[in-house]
Amino acid sequence: MSWQQRIESALAQQQEKDLFRRRQAYEHHQGREIQFAGRSYLNFSSNDYLGLSQHPALIAAWQQGAAQWGVGSTSSGHIIGYSQEHQQFEQELATWLGFDRALLFISGYSANQAVISALGQKSDLLVADKLCHISMLEAAMQSAAQLKRFQHNDISSLSRLLTARESGETLLMTEGIFSMDGDSAPLAALANQARQAGAWLMVDDAHGIGVMGDEGRGSCQVQQVKPDILVVTFGKAFGCSGAAVLCHDSTADYLLQYARHLIYSTMMPAAQVATLSTALQVIRQACHLRARLQNNIRHFCEGASALPFQRLPSNSAIQPLIIGENQVALTLAARLREQGIWLTAIRPPTVPQGSARLRITLSATHSNEDIERLLEALYGSAS
Ligand SMILES: *Cc1c(COP(=O)(O)O)cnc(C)c1O
């Protein structure tokens, strides 16, 4: 088979299994509303939980940052890509979350890859929740260390994997709030298991940071757990993009020596860092936005209780409806679009086989009426 043939046959297979993915370009986007091909939809697919992607203070910070620093960081942070703006924001993050240090990365994907690939060595064991984000699982699969996965949020399944080891270190990995299921990890119990096994705990709180806890400090603050490594991302509640790894002093220095994603990649622009710093100030004071979001979540959960779809035990902004077959999920999403609701069907391998779903994400920018419209459309499409 030639390259061309191989590619075409792979595409044909994706089509056959209803797994073909395509992107659609919107022409306008304003928080809760999004416009495609001349039609406006209520947007229930974005991770912009607090609506900060459109916040005037963040937009002004980016503009001022670009005027002050230019638009590019011009190199890796190890060369000359690291400004006082970066340094200051790392310190703000570390203080806010109660860690020695924070290191900025251009994305959550690269932060997870960097940490796991820099830590995992041949005799080590990486233990991950089955539903951990692919950025963690992929890095773990490629690592020289051994990967074992435990049943989702299941402490007894985990404890069977955390048996005594003669050599090597163990890293236990989970998410704070699971990105495709919306439920929380039992962090205190996981931390306990890790402590007993002499393992380190790593938490990716992409969906908890900014949204949960005092000042938006996330899932770990809510559950009063301090992991050894905390990953937070800025593409969700922060409304922007990028990520940070929070850790001990020596771990930060170690990552600066061995994390290739930092050493060989251009640093995030300082103007973006200035924007993130403003986002952090907004988030710390955004009790009203978090309360609005909680209201919307409550409103949706009460209204959705009679829907004929399987729901998951989620109290978060992520409210999946489990549909099963890919084709059925695609048809439902299309029907909802006819009614002006924008939802994406999430299919394998993003979620396990046979659990295609509509992943509803709620935001503080949605009004009560928006939630009512969503519910009406869901009940209408279900029948
Ligand atoms: C979104 C997400 C990531 C990836 O973060 P990016 O900054 O978008 O690359 C990592 N982990 C989890 C749990 C996520 O939901």
Side-chain angles (χ1 to χ4, degrees):
M1 242 200 276
S2 69
W3 279 110
Q4 194 65 25
Q5 283 167 333
R6 192 199 294 180
I7 287 167
E8 276 162 19
S9 117
L11 290 176
Q13 273 183 34
Q14 286 292 97
Q15 294 274 18
E16 267 165 41
K17 296 185 206 153
D18 296 314
L19 286 175
F20 197 82
R21 292 159 192 246
R22 63 182 89 239
R23 302 176 303 175
Q24 256 168 297
Y26 60 80
E27 56 240 23
H28 185 69
H29 180 196
Q30 224 199 16
R32 50 191 272 287
E33 276 191 286
I34 191 160
Q35 187 176 317
F36 291 92
R39 178 160 183 201
S40 178
Y41 299 85
L42 266 180
N43 181 4
F44 288 99
S45 283
S46 126
N47 297 319
D48 189 11
Y49 299 124
L50 303 177
L52 296 198
S53 75
Q54 311 273 335
H55 196 290
L58 272 67
I59 294 169
W62 198 308
Q63 286 166 337
Q64 279 163 21
Q68 182 178 353
W69 302 103
V71 292
S73 75
T74 77
S75 79
S76 147
H78 284 63
I79 311 213
I80 50 161
Y82 186 69
S83 69
Q84 284 182 353
E85 193 80 56
H86 294 86
Q87 185 179 41
Q88 212 172 343
F89 182 54
E90 286 185 346
Q91 279 166 8
E92 287 167 15
L93 279 173
T95 308
W96 181 51
L97 294 169
F99 282 79
D100 293 348
R101 296 273 289 279
L103 296 178
L104 291 174
F105 285 79
I106 54 162
S107 72
Y109 206 102
S110 70
N112 279 334
Q113 296 258 316
V115 168
I116 291 162
S117 65
L119 287 181
Q121 294 179 6
K122 197 160 177 247
S123 52
D124 298 336
L125 176 63
L126 306 171
V127 183
D129 187 290
K130 263 205 148 131
L131 296 189
C132 272
H133 194 264
I134 189 67
S135 52
M136 282 183 270
L137 293 177
E138 185 190 69
M141 287 185 272
Q142 288 169 356
S143 158
Q146 191 187 3
L147 168 65
K148 290 186 181 173
R149 299 194 231 181
F150 59 97
Q151 294 300 320
H152 177 52
N153 280 348
D154 183 338
I155 299 295
S156 61
S157 162
L158 166 65
S159 63
R160 283 193 290 277
L161 302 182
L162 284 178
T163 45
R165 314 191 62 240
E166 275 165 24
S167 65
E169 301 303 318
T170 304
L171 181 67
L172 170 56
M173 299 183 276
T174 187
E175 293 185 24
I177 293 180
F178 282 84
S179 53
M180 292 300 141
D181 283 33
D183 54 351
S184 300
L187 294 174
L190 292 171
N192 214 5
Q193 289 283 324
R195 200 175 316 114
Q196 283 172 21
W200 268 13
L201 174 64
M202 170 175 177
V203 177
D204 173 350
D205 202 23
H207 297 277
I209 199 73
V211 176
M212 313 269 298
D214 202 21
E215 288 191 0
R217 287 194 182 90
S219 308
C220 295
Q221 195 270 335
V222 171
Q223 299 193 43
Q224 293 292 304
V225 164
K226 187 173 171 194
D228 300 280
I229 295 172
L230 172 64
V231 175
V232 297
T233 70
F234 306 129
K236 280 123 192 177
F238 273 70
C240 192
S241 78
V245 173
L246 292 115
C247 56
H248 318 115
D249 232 336
S250 53
T251 311
D253 284 335
Y254 178 86
L255 289 173
L256 286 171
Q257 314 310 309
Y258 298 109
R260 291 181 295 278
H261 301 72
L262 283 182
I263 301 170
Y264 299 103
S265 186
T266 302
M267 187 44 133
M268 124 190 343
Q272 184 181 337
V273 181
T275 311
L276 291 172
S277 177
T278 304
L280 176 56
Q281 289 171 34
V282 172
I283 278 179
R284 293 180 72 164
Q285 296 161 19
C287 301
H288 57 297
L289 294 178
R290 282 186 284 276
R292 247 293 350 110
L293 177 60
Q294 288 307 320
N295 259 333
N296 285 342
I297 295 169
R298 217 172 303 124
H299 185 170
F300 175 80
C301 289
E302 282 166 17
S305 60
L307 277 173
F309 302 116
Q310 187 198 339
R311 311 244 326 281
L312 295 173
S314 161
N315 301 316
S316 74
I318 302 163
Q319 291 289 332
L321 302 175
I322 309 298
I323 308 300
E325 296 291 321
N326 299 333
Q327 185 51 51
V328 182
L330 288 169
T331 307
L332 261 173
R335 249 191 249 164
L336 289 164
R337 280 174 197 181
E338 284 162 20
Q339 300 173 75
I341 303 285
W342 196 269
L343 270 184
T344 316
I346 309 278
R347 291 162 286 166
T350 309
V351 294
Q353 286 295 337
S355 76
R357 63 196 67 187
L358 296 177
R359 177 174 178 270
I360 297 164
T361 47
L362 301 169
S363 154
T365 59
H366 291 127
S367 67
N368 286 334
E369 252 170 52
D370 295 341
I371 307 290
E372 284 301 316
R373 264 189 66 196
L374 168 65
L375 287 166
E376 245 170 68
L378 286 171
Y379 280 100
S381 306
S383 53

